[in-house]
Amino acid sequence: MADRKPFIGGNWKMNLHADEAAALARALVDGLTDAPAEVAICPAFPYLHQVGEILSQAQSKIQLGAQDVHTDPNGAFTGEVSCSMLRDVGATVVIVGHSERRHVLAESDVLINAKVRAALDAGLDVIFCIGETLQQREAGMTDAVNWGQIGYGLAGVSSDHMARVTIAYEPVWAIGTGMTATPDDAQAAHQAIRAFIRCGMFNDAVADRVRIQYGGSVKPDNAAQLFAQPDIDGGLIGGAALKADDFLAIIAATQTVAASAG
Ligand code: PGA
């Protein structure tokens, strides 16, 4: 099996004001002494700079991420933020295609693909989110939906650029609901995603290297079982990323897995 370092993302969504964001960033910096996984935290736009300063002053290995980005480098796009602006404030990674943007804000596969390519061209790493709704799962369409979203979303991305893409499989029905995919169901979806990367879109090298995070109600008490699955390479964490103890426990769960595998 390929040696992929797990990657844990903290998606703070539209939560935490300045003081809370700073306090959480400091608690994570202090608590994360030995990182068994790569870690990124993604505050809301107004706090990126502040959180980035905390991370860089502490010389922390925690990466700064944004939750979205616009496709164009600048211009008349009221309310939008460009890749170079994100880089200016120290962000190195950006979440694209989160289900809340797909379903609540009606982002299309075409727009998401343009964002993925713009971010990669600008040197940002991308956490590219996919996942099926409950209705689609019940209709047996999980793999078809995931493959479709990957097919559109990663169209035109080179194998080289794929080295900077992490896929986040987040079943829509599991996000923020307390319902988690079972480790077996999640593994089955991840395995099918990797197979599509291998045979449908890229090749063995990309498929073996690409990290596939699981997201959707990951908590300290279910993280280790999920991360123990061979095709699950960490997680994208929402609710549990807002509490330092929970987020640190989830990061530590990647180590439990590494230790028991070794
Ligand atoms: P959740 O969110 O952990 O609160 O389910 C995950 C996400 O939306 O990335």
PDB file of all heavy atoms in Angstrom, residues 133-158:
ATOM      1  N   THR A 133     -25.993  12.950  -1.917  1.00  0.00           N
ATOM      2  CA  THR A 133     -27.087  13.240  -0.979  1.00  0.00           C
ATOM      3  C   THR A 133     -27.688  11.915  -0.495  1.00  0.00           C
ATOM      4  O   THR A 133     -27.414  10.847  -1.061  1.00  0.00           O
ATOM      5  CB  THR A 133     -28.202  14.049  -1.665  1.00  0.00           C
ATOM      6  OG1 THR A 133     -28.751  13.237  -2.710  1.00  0.00           O
ATOM      7  CG2 THR A 133     -27.682  15.354  -2.250  1.00  0.00           C
ATOM      8  N   LEU A 134     -28.540  12.010   0.513  1.00  0.00           N
ATOM      9  CA  LEU A 134     -29.185  10.804   1.044  1.00  0.00           C
ATOM     10  C   LEU A 134     -30.030  10.119  -0.037  1.00  0.00           C
ATOM     11  O   LEU A 134     -30.000   8.900  -0.200  1.00  0.00           O
ATOM     12  CB  LEU A 134     -30.059  11.167   2.252  1.00  0.00           C
ATOM     13  CG  LEU A 134     -30.645   9.986   3.009  1.00  0.00           C
ATOM     14  CD1 LEU A 134     -29.563   9.025   3.473  1.00  0.00           C
ATOM     15  CD2 LEU A 134     -31.453  10.479   4.213  1.00  0.00           C
ATOM     16  N   GLN A 135     -30.744  10.944  -0.793  1.00  0.00           N
ATOM     17  CA  GLN A 135     -31.595  10.399  -1.863  1.00  0.00           C
ATOM     18  C   GLN A 135     -30.748   9.636  -2.891  1.00  0.00           C
ATOM     19  O   GLN A 135     -31.125   8.552  -3.344  1.00  0.00           O
ATOM     20  CB  GLN A 135     -32.293  11.572  -2.535  1.00  0.00           C
ATOM     21  CG  GLN A 135     -33.621  11.244  -3.111  1.00  0.00           C
ATOM     22  CD  GLN A 135     -34.196  12.466  -3.834  1.00  0.00           C
ATOM     23  OE1 GLN A 135     -33.508  13.472  -4.075  1.00  0.00           O
ATOM     24  NE2 GLN A 135     -35.454  12.364  -4.183  1.00  0.00           N
ATOM     25  N   GLN A 136     -29.628  10.210  -3.233  1.00  0.00           N
ATOM     26  CA  GLN A 136     -28.752   9.549  -4.206  1.00  0.00           C
ATOM     27  C   GLN A 136     -28.182   8.253  -3.631  1.00  0.00           C
ATOM     28  O   GLN A 136     -28.102   7.239  -4.323  1.00  0.00           O
ATOM     29  CB  GLN A 136     -27.619  10.504  -4.621  1.00  0.00           C
ATOM     30  CG  GLN A 136     -28.134  11.666  -5.471  1.00  0.00           C
ATOM     31  CD  GLN A 136     -27.123  12.792  -5.613  1.00  0.00           C
ATOM     32  OE1 GLN A 136     -26.289  13.024  -4.729  1.00  0.00           O
ATOM     33  NE2 GLN A 136     -27.201  13.515  -6.718  1.00  0.00           N
ATOM     34  N   ARG A 137     -27.823   8.275  -2.347  1.00  0.00           N
ATOM     35  CA  ARG A 137     -27.309   7.043  -1.722  1.00  0.00           C
ATOM     36  C   ARG A 137     -28.380   5.957  -1.752  1.00  0.00           C
ATOM     37  O   ARG A 137     -28.121   4.820  -2.113  1.00  0.00           O
ATOM     38  CB  ARG A 137     -26.862   7.316  -0.283  1.00  0.00           C
ATOM     39  CG  ARG A 137     -26.593   6.030   0.506  1.00  0.00           C
ATOM     40  CD  ARG A 137     -25.735   6.264   1.713  1.00  0.00           C
ATOM     41  NE  ARG A 137     -24.355   6.488   1.344  1.00  0.00           N
ATOM     42  CZ  ARG A 137     -23.380   5.579   1.489  1.00  0.00           C
ATOM     43  NH1 ARG A 137     -23.628   4.410   2.009  1.00  0.00           N
ATOM     44  NH2 ARG A 137     -22.146   5.844   1.125  1.00  0.00           N
ATOM     45  N   GLU A 138     -29.587   6.370  -1.368  1.00  0.00           N
ATOM     46  CA  GLU A 138     -30.666   5.368  -1.308  1.00  0.00           C
ATOM     47  C   GLU A 138     -31.012   4.817  -2.693  1.00  0.00           C
ATOM     48  O   GLU A 138     -31.510   3.711  -2.818  1.00  0.00           O
ATOM     49  CB  GLU A 138     -31.902   5.973  -0.626  1.00  0.00           C
ATOM     50  CG  GLU A 138     -31.663   6.076   0.878  1.00  0.00           C
ATOM     51  CD  GLU A 138     -32.732   6.855   1.638  1.00  0.00           C
ATOM     52  OE1 GLU A 138     -33.600   7.488   0.991  1.00  0.00           O
ATOM     53  OE2 GLU A 138     -32.667   6.836   2.878  1.00  0.00           O
ATOM     54  N   ALA A 139     -30.723   5.591  -3.709  1.00  0.00           N
ATOM     55  CA  ALA A 139     -30.964   5.113  -5.081  1.00  0.00           C
ATOM     56  C   ALA A 139     -29.767   4.327  -5.621  1.00  0.00           C
ATOM     57  O   ALA A 139     -29.727   3.980  -6.808  1.00  0.00           O
ATOM     58  CB  ALA A 139     -31.271   6.302  -5.986  1.00  0.00           C
ATOM     59  N   GLY A 140     -28.771   4.082  -4.763  1.00  0.00           N
ATOM     60  CA  GLY A 140     -27.607   3.295  -5.188  1.00  0.00           C
ATOM     61  C   GLY A 140     -26.664   4.059  -6.101  1.00  0.00           C
ATOM     62  O   GLY A 140     -25.920   3.463  -6.882  1.00  0.00           O
ATOM     63  N   MET A 141     -26.695   5.392  -6.006  1.00  0.00           N
ATOM     64  CA  MET A 141     -25.920   6.206  -6.953  1.00  0.00           C
ATOM     65  C   MET A 141     -24.633   6.792  -6.374  1.00  0.00           C
ATOM     66  O   MET A 141     -24.015   7.670  -6.993  1.00  0.00           O
ATOM     67  CB  MET A 141     -26.796   7.366  -7.448  1.00  0.00           C
ATOM     68  CG  MET A 141     -27.915   6.926  -8.375  1.00  0.00           C
ATOM     69  SD  MET A 141     -29.121   8.242  -8.601  1.00  0.00           S
ATOM     70  CE  MET A 141     -28.109   9.558  -9.238  1.00  0.00           C
ATOM     71  N   THR A 142     -24.237   6.335  -5.187  1.00  0.00           N
ATOM     72  CA  THR A 142     -23.083   6.953  -4.521  1.00  0.00           C
ATOM     73  C   THR A 142     -21.859   7.039  -5.440  1.00  0.00           C
ATOM     74  O   THR A 142     -21.288   8.118  -5.629  1.00  0.00           O
ATOM     75  CB  THR A 142     -22.735   6.168  -3.238  1.00  0.00           C
ATOM     76  OG1 THR A 142     -23.856   6.255  -2.364  1.00  0.00           O
ATOM     77  CG2 THR A 142     -21.499   6.738  -2.548  1.00  0.00           C
ATOM     78  N   ASP A 143     -21.464   5.912  -6.007  1.00  0.00           N
ATOM     79  CA  ASP A 143     -20.237   5.927  -6.825  1.00  0.00           C
ATOM     80  C   ASP A 143     -20.433   6.764  -8.088  1.00  0.00           C
ATOM     81  O   ASP A 143     -19.530   7.523  -8.482  1.00  0.00           O
ATOM     82  CB  ASP A 143     -19.821   4.501  -7.198  1.00  0.00           C
ATOM     83  CG  ASP A 143     -19.371   3.711  -5.975  1.00  0.00           C
ATOM     84  OD1 ASP A 143     -19.002   4.341  -4.957  1.00  0.00           O
ATOM     85  OD2 ASP A 143     -19.401   2.469  -6.028  1.00  0.00           O
ATOM     86  N   ALA A 144     -21.606   6.651  -8.687  1.00  0.00           N
ATOM     87  CA  ALA A 144     -21.857   7.417  -9.917  1.00  0.00           C
ATOM     88  C   ALA A 144     -21.771   8.916  -9.649  1.00  0.00           C
ATOM     89  O   ALA A 144     -21.202   9.681 -10.438  1.00  0.00           O
ATOM     90  CB  ALA A 144     -23.219   7.058 -10.489  1.00  0.00           C
ATOM     91  N   VAL A 145     -22.321   9.351  -8.504  1.00  0.00           N
ATOM     92  CA  VAL A 145     -22.263  10.783  -8.166  1.00  0.00           C
ATOM     93  C   VAL A 145     -20.816  11.201  -7.922  1.00  0.00           C
ATOM     94  O   VAL A 145     -20.347  12.223  -8.445  1.00  0.00           O
ATOM     95  CB  VAL A 145     -23.142  11.077  -6.923  1.00  0.00           C
ATOM     96  CG1 VAL A 145     -22.902  12.493  -6.412  1.00  0.00           C
ATOM     97  CG2 VAL A 145     -24.620  10.871  -7.266  1.00  0.00           C
ATOM     98  N   ASN A 146     -20.106  10.412  -7.147  1.00  0.00           N
ATOM     99  CA  ASN A 146     -18.709  10.768  -6.867  1.00  0.00           C
ATOM    100  C   ASN A 146     -17.883  10.822  -8.145  1.00  0.00           C
ATOM    101  O   ASN A 146     -17.097  11.750  -8.358  1.00  0.00           O
ATOM    102  CB  ASN A 146     -18.097   9.751  -5.896  1.00  0.00           C
ATOM    103  CG  ASN A 146     -18.625   9.925  -4.480  1.00  0.00           C
ATOM    104  OD1 ASN A 146     -19.078  11.006  -4.116  1.00  0.00           O
ATOM    105  ND2 ASN A 146     -18.565   8.872  -3.691  1.00  0.00           N
ATOM    106  N   TRP A 147     -18.066   9.826  -9.000  1.00  0.00           N
ATOM    107  CA  TRP A 147     -17.287   9.800 -10.239  1.00  0.00           C
ATOM    108  C   TRP A 147     -17.645  10.992 -11.130  1.00  0.00           C
ATOM    109  O   TRP A 147     -16.777  11.592 -11.752  1.00  0.00           O
ATOM    110  CB  TRP A 147     -17.540   8.482 -10.995  1.00  0.00           C
ATOM    111  CG  TRP A 147     -17.022   7.262 -10.274  1.00  0.00           C
ATOM    112  CD1 TRP A 147     -16.065   7.229  -9.294  1.00  0.00           C
ATOM    113  CD2 TRP A 147     -17.424   5.895 -10.479  1.00  0.00           C
ATOM    114  NE1 TRP A 147     -15.865   5.933  -8.885  1.00  0.00           N
ATOM    115  CE2 TRP A 147     -16.677   5.088  -9.585  1.00  0.00           C
ATOM    116  CE3 TRP A 147     -18.346   5.279 -11.333  1.00  0.00           C
ATOM    117  CZ2 TRP A 147     -16.828   3.696  -9.526  1.00  0.00           C
ATOM    118  CZ3 TRP A 147     -18.488   3.894 -11.282  1.00  0.00           C
ATOM    119  CH2 TRP A 147     -17.736   3.109 -10.389  1.00  0.00           C
ATOM    120  N   GLY A 148     -18.920  11.309 -11.169  1.00  0.00           N
ATOM    121  CA  GLY A 148     -19.338  12.458 -11.977  1.00  0.00           C
ATOM    122  C   GLY A 148     -18.733  13.750 -11.460  1.00  0.00           C
ATOM    123  O   GLY A 148     -18.211  14.562 -12.231  1.00  0.00           O
ATOM    124  N   GLN A 149     -18.770  13.930 -10.150  1.00  0.00           N
ATOM    125  CA  GLN A 149     -18.222  15.174  -9.585  1.00  0.00           C
ATOM    126  C   GLN A 149     -16.708  15.250  -9.801  1.00  0.00           C
ATOM    127  O   GLN A 149     -16.162  16.325 -10.048  1.00  0.00           O
ATOM    128  CB  GLN A 149     -18.583  15.282  -8.100  1.00  0.00           C
ATOM    129  CG  GLN A 149     -20.084  15.562  -7.904  1.00  0.00           C
ATOM    130  CD  GLN A 149     -20.503  15.634  -6.445  1.00  0.00           C
ATOM    131  OE1 GLN A 149     -19.739  15.297  -5.538  1.00  0.00           O
ATOM    132  NE2 GLN A 149     -21.730  16.075  -6.220  1.00  0.00           N
ATOM    133  N   ILE A 150     -16.049  14.104  -9.723  1.00  0.00           N
ATOM    134  CA  ILE A 150     -14.604  14.105  -9.985  1.00  0.00           C
ATOM    135  C   ILE A 150     -14.337  14.366 -11.463  1.00  0.00           C
ATOM    136  O   ILE A 150     -13.447  15.146 -11.823  1.00  0.00           O
ATOM    137  CB  ILE A 150     -13.969  12.757  -9.566  1.00  0.00           C
ATOM    138  CG1 ILE A 150     -14.042  12.569  -8.050  1.00  0.00           C
ATOM    139  CG2 ILE A 150     -12.507  12.680 -10.024  1.00  0.00           C
ATOM    140  CD1 ILE A 150     -13.651  11.167  -7.581  1.00  0.00           C
ATOM    141  N   GLY A 151     -15.125  13.707 -12.302  1.00  0.00           N
ATOM    142  CA  GLY A 151     -14.925  13.863 -13.748  1.00  0.00           C
ATOM    143  C   GLY A 151     -15.033  15.309 -14.199  1.00  0.00           C
ATOM    144  O   GLY A 151     -14.208  15.808 -14.964  1.00  0.00           O
ATOM    145  N   TYR A 152     -16.036  15.998 -13.682  1.00  0.00           N
ATOM    146  CA  TYR A 152     -16.177  17.420 -14.016  1.00  0.00           C
ATOM    147  C   TYR A 152     -15.158  18.263 -13.241  1.00  0.00           C
ATOM    148  O   TYR A 152     -14.496  19.132 -13.798  1.00  0.00           O
ATOM    149  CB  TYR A 152     -17.585  17.916 -13.654  1.00  0.00           C
ATOM    150  CG  TYR A 152     -18.658  17.530 -14.624  1.00  0.00           C
ATOM    151  CD1 TYR A 152     -19.644  16.634 -14.262  1.00  0.00           C
ATOM    152  CD2 TYR A 152     -18.695  18.087 -15.904  1.00  0.00           C
ATOM    153  CE1 TYR A 152     -20.659  16.280 -15.145  1.00  0.00           C
ATOM    154  CE2 TYR A 152     -19.703  17.733 -16.798  1.00  0.00           C
ATOM    155  CZ  TYR A 152     -20.678  16.831 -16.414  1.00  0.00           C
ATOM    156  OH  TYR A 152     -21.665  16.496 -17.300  1.00  0.00           O
ATOM    157  N   GLY A 153     -15.081  18.029 -11.953  1.00  0.00           N
ATOM    158  CA  GLY A 153     -14.319  18.932 -11.091  1.00  0.00           C
ATOM    159  C   GLY A 153     -12.825  18.910 -11.334  1.00  0.00           C
ATOM    160  O   GLY A 153     -12.148  19.920 -11.158  1.00  0.00           O
ATOM    161  N   LEU A 154     -12.315  17.742 -11.738  1.00  0.00           N
ATOM    162  CA  LEU A 154     -10.865  17.640 -11.950  1.00  0.00           C
ATOM    163  C   LEU A 154     -10.509  17.596 -13.440  1.00  0.00           C
ATOM    164  O   LEU A 154      -9.370  17.313 -13.800  1.00  0.00           O
ATOM    165  CB  LEU A 154     -10.310  16.404 -11.225  1.00  0.00           C
ATOM    166  CG  LEU A 154     -10.473  16.404  -9.691  1.00  0.00           C
ATOM    167  CD1 LEU A 154      -9.823  15.159  -9.077  1.00  0.00           C
ATOM    168  CD2 LEU A 154      -9.878  17.664  -9.054  1.00  0.00           C
ATOM    169  N   ALA A 155     -11.477  17.892 -14.304  1.00  0.00           N
ATOM    170  CA  ALA A 155     -11.188  17.926 -15.747  1.00  0.00           C
ATOM    171  C   ALA A 155     -10.085  18.946 -16.028  1.00  0.00           C
ATOM    172  O   ALA A 155     -10.095  20.046 -15.488  1.00  0.00           O
ATOM    173  CB  ALA A 155     -12.452  18.295 -16.522  1.00  0.00           C
ATOM    174  N   GLY A 156      -9.138  18.558 -16.849  1.00  0.00           N
ATOM    175  CA  GLY A 156      -8.069  19.484 -17.234  1.00  0.00           C
ATOM    176  C   GLY A 156      -6.978  19.663 -16.200  1.00  0.00           C
ATOM    177  O   GLY A 156      -6.051  20.456 -16.396  1.00  0.00           O
ATOM    178  N   VAL A 157      -7.057  18.929 -15.095  1.00  0.00           N
ATOM    179  CA  VAL A 157      -5.989  19.015 -14.077  1.00  0.00           C
ATOM    180  C   VAL A 157      -4.899  18.015 -14.465  1.00  0.00           C
ATOM    181  O   VAL A 157      -5.193  16.852 -14.749  1.00  0.00           O
ATOM    182  CB  VAL A 157      -6.552  18.695 -12.668  1.00  0.00           C
ATOM    183  CG1 VAL A 157      -5.431  18.627 -11.640  1.00  0.00           C
ATOM    184  CG2 VAL A 157      -7.588  19.743 -12.262  1.00  0.00           C
ATOM    185  N   SER A 158      -3.648  18.473 -14.481  1.00  0.00           N
ATOM    186  CA  SER A 158      -2.554  17.587 -14.889  1.00  0.00           C
ATOM    187  C   SER A 158      -2.174  16.632 -13.758  1.00  0.00           C
ATOM    188  O   SER A 158      -2.475  16.875 -12.589  1.00  0.00           O
ATOM    189  CB  SER A 158      -1.324  18.434 -15.261  1.00  0.00           C
ATOM    190  OG  SER A 158      -0.823  19.044 -14.079  1.00  0.00           O
TER     191      SER A 158
END
